[in-house]
Amino acid sequence: MDFKKYISINSKKRFGRPCIKDTRISVYDILTWLANGQSMEEIIKDFPELNKTKIKAALAIAASKENKSRVA
């Protein structure tokens, strides 16, 4: 997945954390919600500006960062 289509990093928004484009919802927020047991459907109900593709983009960037940290 090309997560760059859905994720942006702006040093003036959410302390430079990766966020879903055109929102203030960070990748960290999404990962935390999923880790706490919320389903994609529940997250989308609470935040209708999200969709499954955007949530999967958050997972993809997290996986990419994890893979890079293991290679280094």
Side-chain angles (χ1 to χ4, degrees):
M1 165 179 277
D2 183 13
F3 56 80
K4 294 174 187 167
K5 290 172 54 176
Y6 306 100
I7 308 289
S8 66
I9 299 174
N10 179 341
S11 62
K12 296 179 182 178
K13 188 186 282 188
R14 298 295 305 265
F15 305 102
R17 287 185 172 164
C19 291
I20 302 299
K21 284 187 178 180
D22 302 321
T23 75
R24 294 185 54 80
I25 300 170
S26 72
V27 168
Y28 176 82
D29 295 332
I30 293 170
L31 296 175
T32 300
W33 297 329
L34 291 169
N36 286 327
Q38 280 190 275
S39 69
M40 287 189 192
E41 291 78 13
E42 290 170 322
I43 294 169
I44 293 166
K45 184 178 177 188
D46 290 341
F47 299 93
E49 61 268 46
L50 296 177
N51 58 41
K52 286 185 179 183
T53 301
K54 292 176 181 178
I55 294 171
K56 289 178 183 178
L59 292 170
I61 192 173
S64 172
K65 288 182 179 279
E66 174 64 16
N67 187 44
K68 287 179 185 175
S69 72
R70 290 186 182 275
V71 173

